Amino acid sequence: MQTPGLRCRWAGLPCPSVREAASMYGTAVAVFLVILVAALQGSAPPESPFPYRVPLDPEGTLELSWNVSYSQETVHFQLLARRLGAGLLFGMSDRGQLENADLVVLWTDGDSAYFADAWSDQKGQVHLDAQQDYQLLQAQRTPEGLSLLFKRPFATCDPKDYLIEDDTVHLVYGILAEPFRSLEAINTSGLRTGLQRVQLLKPEVPTPALPWDARTLEVRAPDVQIPGSETTYWCYIAELPQNFSRHHIVMYEPVITAGNEALVHHMEVFQCAAEFDSFPHFNGPCDSKMKPDRLNYCRHVLAAWALGAKPFYYPEEAGVPFGGPGSSRFLRLEVHYHNPRQIKGRRDSSGIRLHYTATLRRYDAGIMELGLVYTPVMAVPPRERAFVLTGYCTDKCTRQALPPSGIHIFASQLHTHLAGIKVVTVLARDGREREVVNRDNHYSPHFQEIRMLKKVVSVQPGDVLITSCTYNTQDREQATVGGLGTQDEMCVNYAHYYPRTELELCKSAVDAGFLQEYFHVVNRFNSEDVCTCRGASVPEQFASVPWNAFSRGVLAALYGSAPISMHCNKSSALRFQGEWDLQPLPKIISTLEEPTPQCPAIRCPSPASPTVVSIAGGRH
């Protein structure tokens, strides 16, 4: 890292003292960074202004706005730095790490300022990218700070670049506090860094008009003192008015307390189970020992928002019913506060505003749970990098439960607990995978939202819906079993569809008897005893398994071939009539291939050197 030399050539002044020189030097650095304008030619994106915006850091020093051009397959970024030292880096990485990241860097060496497409290696060392795919369009000083406008294609086919897809994108940033003599002198380990998760490629879905009689209901946790811990899930019970009649929710949007935009990470509103007449009022951390157990029966998703998401509109022909007979008056709001700087003393009353109408639409929208049953028979061994579990909604269930005209899935919310890293649901018909319902190759349990699908997926009776979740348990020493606890696992796709049917849950799990055979086999072929005794729970049995190549491989083979127990359930939690145990796995004879990135047309290669701008705007 370069330190300022006393060369006394800013304005031909006599040499100042060391302290004065340091102060003047810092001022000069700031000037260099805010007057990067004249030499860079470019234009703003045609879709400007930027419809999406998120704060990158908890203090709101860095703010990102962006726009998506699907015709050009390009993302335009606008990065605002309100308080900038000697530069910044910004980019994307697989899981939000600063190592092995795709970066764009703005920095100064004290004499000139530079902009470059870069990447970091596994040690965090920054390198100039041989293929410059980030293009700086404009840099200017605004009343709020330094604004950078730049763009990048979705796919570049550069092995050092991140492939921008429809799924969750982990954005990373770093603040440069001092000048660097070169790009290669920067290492991310010495910077103030952070990450933010967004969905960059928002689907282009027309916005329906709200009905004339639309009313609003705000579900907000009142005056919460945000805890100083990094992660907090806050729960609050709200109550609809007495005799609240049946309505349709047609849109919802976030309501964020001003100043807390960088701390409120995502929020969900759940409806409580109708079989309980009342629920105790609660306003506190979701993991509090004081939280009433009955709140665990508030799990029917009504609304879900995450950072970067715009208001969510239902199709004009459908709405989510709530209120009236057979519907609970109690709602649970869950707010996820992400506070990595552990800021204290902030108060918050954020929540979700529901827009609803008494003029019922043609169809009720429903939510169907796809994936795995919450049961410990589905488990992930410890120290696994990418272990896959799969749940099925079988042709037998869809044939019996869906109407002859089928249903239409228009949105989806993927869900796992802390070990989940990838989730995908695929529709199969006549033994062949036909289309992806929803996929997130960079899924994070810390970023969950209901996402509109680019294309409505029609499901016919006899179709199969296959949901697979990939887990990473490299930091765990014991098996992770399925269940409701945070350290347990889930694999769920909450599919939003219309018209609503009686089918609310279409999920599977391996047959429990075949799992017991697994424990016996592992016990027979290992020197260590595996608990197969009568009365032992499945988690206890998994805890006794010696996790070696044999036990891991046999478990994966079991899950890929053994019969399943199907839960083809109505909203009453009762199964549809029929035999659902010891069901064979659906036969899939043809699978979909992951799409191949479409590389940009061949163009003149950009020079593998930083863009250099002098204080006067001249290019060196």
Side-chain angles (χ1 to χ4, degrees):
M1 187 179 297
Q2 182 170 313
T3 57
L6 299 180
R7 289 172 289 180
C8 310
R9 58 192 188 95
W10 296 119
L13 298 176
C15 283
S17 67
V18 172
R19 178 174 297 179
E20 290 170 333
S23 175
M24 292 171 61
Y25 182 79
T27 302
V29 166
V31 170
F32 278 129
L33 289 170
V34 299
I35 312 182
L36 303 173
V37 283
L40 298 172
Q41 301 299 319
S43 60
E47 297 87 353
S48 190
F50 299 88
Y52 309 108
R53 178 178 291 111
V54 295
L56 292 181
D57 63 319
E59 294 86 1
T61 302
L62 296 176
E63 183 177 271
L64 179 73
S65 304
W66 74 95
N67 207 335
V68 179
S69 171
Y70 282 99
S71 60
Q72 300 175 14
E73 295 192 347
T74 299
V75 180
H76 288 81
F77 299 95
Q78 188 175 57
L79 186 59
L80 173 65
R82 291 188 168 90
R83 295 183 300 276
L84 187 63
L88 57 87
L89 58 82
F90 164 82
M92 297 163 274
S93 67
D94 183 48
R95 306 302 307 172
Q97 71 280 9
L98 265 294
E99 300 79 27
N100 298 315
D102 175 14
L103 302 171
V104 58
V105 185
L106 175 74
W107 83 101
T108 180
D109 61 4
D111 291 323
S112 299
Y114 306 84
F115 177 94
D117 185 344
W119 57 278
S120 60
D121 60 26
Q122 61 185 0
K123 295 182 180 179
Q125 194 69 40
V126 178
H127 305 274
L128 183 69
D129 200 329
Q131 183 173 309
Q132 295 285 296
D133 293 296
Y134 282 101
Q135 181 183 352
L136 181 63
L137 303 175
Q138 188 181 66
Q140 63 178 349
R141 182 167 55 182
T142 72
E144 291 187 271
L146 178 66
S147 176
L148 299 176
L149 176 63
F150 52 97
K151 68 177 183 178
R152 211 211 78 174
F154 296 172
T156 66
C157 294
D158 180 347
K160 299 300 183 184
D161 283 354
Y162 183 94
L163 174 63
I164 302 176
E165 299 177 285
D166 296 335
D167 46 18
T168 299
V169 177
H170 292 70
L171 303 176
V172 296
Y173 66 88
I175 305 297
L176 308 184
E178 300 179 51
F180 287 85
R181 64 182 180 274
S182 67
L183 180 73
E184 285 70 19
I186 303 174
N187 191 294
T188 62
S189 62
L191 308 180
R192 179 166 71 85
T193 62
L195 73 95
Q196 189 62 277
R197 301 175 181 90
V198 299
Q199 184 193 27
L200 282 179
L201 303 189
K202 302 289 187 180
E204 294 182 312
V205 179
T207 300
L210 289 175
W212 66 270
D213 63 344
R215 302 179 65 184
T216 61
L217 170 69
E218 291 188 357
V219 184
R220 302 169 66 177
D223 199 29
V224 174
Q225 181 164 323
I226 301 176
S229 52
E230 178 174 347
T231 299
T232 301
Y233 286 85
W234 194 273
C235 284
Y236 171 71
I237 292 292
E239 185 175 349
L240 298 176
Q242 291 280 355
N243 302 317
F244 187 81
S245 62
R246 182 179 175 86
H247 291 77
H248 270 162
I249 299 172
V250 295
M251 189 267 269
Y252 61 83
E253 59 187 335
V255 183
I256 310 295
T257 298
N260 293 340
E261 293 84 356
L263 299 178
V264 179
H265 194 267
H266 68 260
M267 301 181 287
E268 294 185 83
V269 175
F270 302 88
Q271 189 164 37
C272 299
E275 55 261 36
F276 295 99
D277 293 331
S278 64
F279 282 80
H281 288 279
F282 180 76
N283 187 25
C286 299
D287 59 357
S288 168
K289 295 181 179 179
M290 302 300 292
K291 187 188 80 171
D293 291 339
R294 187 169 288 189
L295 269 60
N296 293 328
Y297 292 90
C298 303
R299 302 210 324 256
H300 181 75
V301 179
L302 284 183
W305 170 90
L307 265 173
K310 296 179 71 177
F312 184 94
Y313 290 83
Y314 284 87
E316 290 183 340
E317 62 270 30
V320 171
F322 78 133
S327 175
S328 175
R329 293 192 302 108
F330 295 90
L331 309 176
R332 176 168 67 92
L333 171 70
E334 184 174 298
V335 182
H336 172 203
Y337 295 109
H338 182 56
N339 188 8
R341 302 274 187 265
Q342 300 185 1
I343 300 169
K344 296 181 180 179
R346 292 282 188 91
R347 305 202 77 88
D348 184 71
S349 297
S350 298
I352 290 180
R353 181 184 295 122
L354 305 174
H355 295 251
Y356 64 94
T357 174
T359 306
L360 300 181
R361 294 184 166 184
R362 180 180 179 184
Y363 299 115
D364 284 348
I367 300 175
M368 184 193 310
E369 287 192 37
L370 307 173
L372 290 173
V373 182
Y374 308 138
T375 169
V377 302
M378 303 301 298
V380 182
R383 300 181 298 280
E384 289 282 352
R385 185 182 64 83
F387 193 88
V388 179
L389 295 178
T390 299
Y392 300 89
C393 178
T394 62
D395 55 342
K396 181 178 179 179
C397 182
T398 61
R399 192 174 289 113
Q400 181 163 346
L402 298 187
S405 58
I407 61 171
H408 309 287
I409 300 176
F410 61 88
S412 163
Q413 182 189 15
L414 306 176
H415 177 78
T416 75
H417 283 174
L418 300 178
I421 59 172
K422 179 179 178 178
V423 186
V424 59
T425 296
V426 177
L427 180 143
R429 183 175 296 155
D430 300 325
R432 299 179 182 275
E433 292 184 353
R434 296 296 183 92
E435 58 184 317
V436 173
V437 177
N438 195 5
R439 181 200 306 272
D440 196 333
N441 288 336
H442 296 89
Y443 172 83
S444 169
H446 302 294
F447 184 73
Q448 301 188 29
E449 61 179 345
I450 302 174
R451 292 180 179 172
M452 296 294 292
L453 303 184
K454 283 185 175 180
K455 173 182 174 295
V456 173
V457 176
S458 295
V459 185
Q460 303 297 324
D463 286 349
V464 178
L465 293 163
I466 306 166
T467 301
S468 296
C469 296
T470 305
Y471 303 94
N472 182 298
T473 57
Q474 288 178 305
D475 60 345
R476 302 190 181 190
E477 297 300 321
Q478 295 292 327
T480 301
V481 300
L484 297 174
T486 305
Q487 292 301 316
D488 300 331
E489 264 309 332
M490 292 184 175
C491 178
V492 184
N493 182 349
Y494 296 102
H496 293 247
Y497 72 97
Y498 68 89
R500 185 178 181 180
T501 71
E502 286 191 277
L503 181 61
E504 186 160 306
L505 188 149
C506 192
K507 302 161 77 173
S508 70
V510 71
D511 178 79
F514 274 75
L515 181 65
Q516 288 305 311
E517 290 300 320
Y518 164 77
F519 291 127
H520 285 289
V521 168
V522 173
N523 189 49
R524 188 178 307 125
F525 287 92
N526 279 279
S527 57
E528 302 175 50
D529 289 338
V530 177
C531 181
T532 58
C533 46
R534 186 184 299 274
S537 68
V538 170
E540 289 172 338
Q541 290 178 292
F542 271 120
S544 68
V545 171
W547 292 108
N548 50 41
F550 176 78
S551 58
R552 295 169 189 272
V554 174
L555 184 64
L558 174 84
Y559 288 151
S561 59
I564 56 176
S565 172
M566 264 303 303
H567 287 233
C568 186
N569 292 7
K570 303 178 181 181
S571 56
S572 62
L574 297 176
R575 296 189 193 186
F576 281 83
Q577 187 175 3
E579 179 56 52
W580 300 108
D581 293 328
L582 290 171
Q583 297 296 296
L585 292 179
K587 293 182 179 179
I588 305 298
I589 59 177
S590 174
T591 59
L592 292 172
E593 295 184 1
E594 293 231 13
T596 302
Q598 297 297 312
C599 301
I602 297 176
R603 60 186 189 276
C604 295
S606 301
S609 60
T611 299
V612 185
V613 181
S614 71
I615 189 169
R619 181 175 294 168
H620 295 311

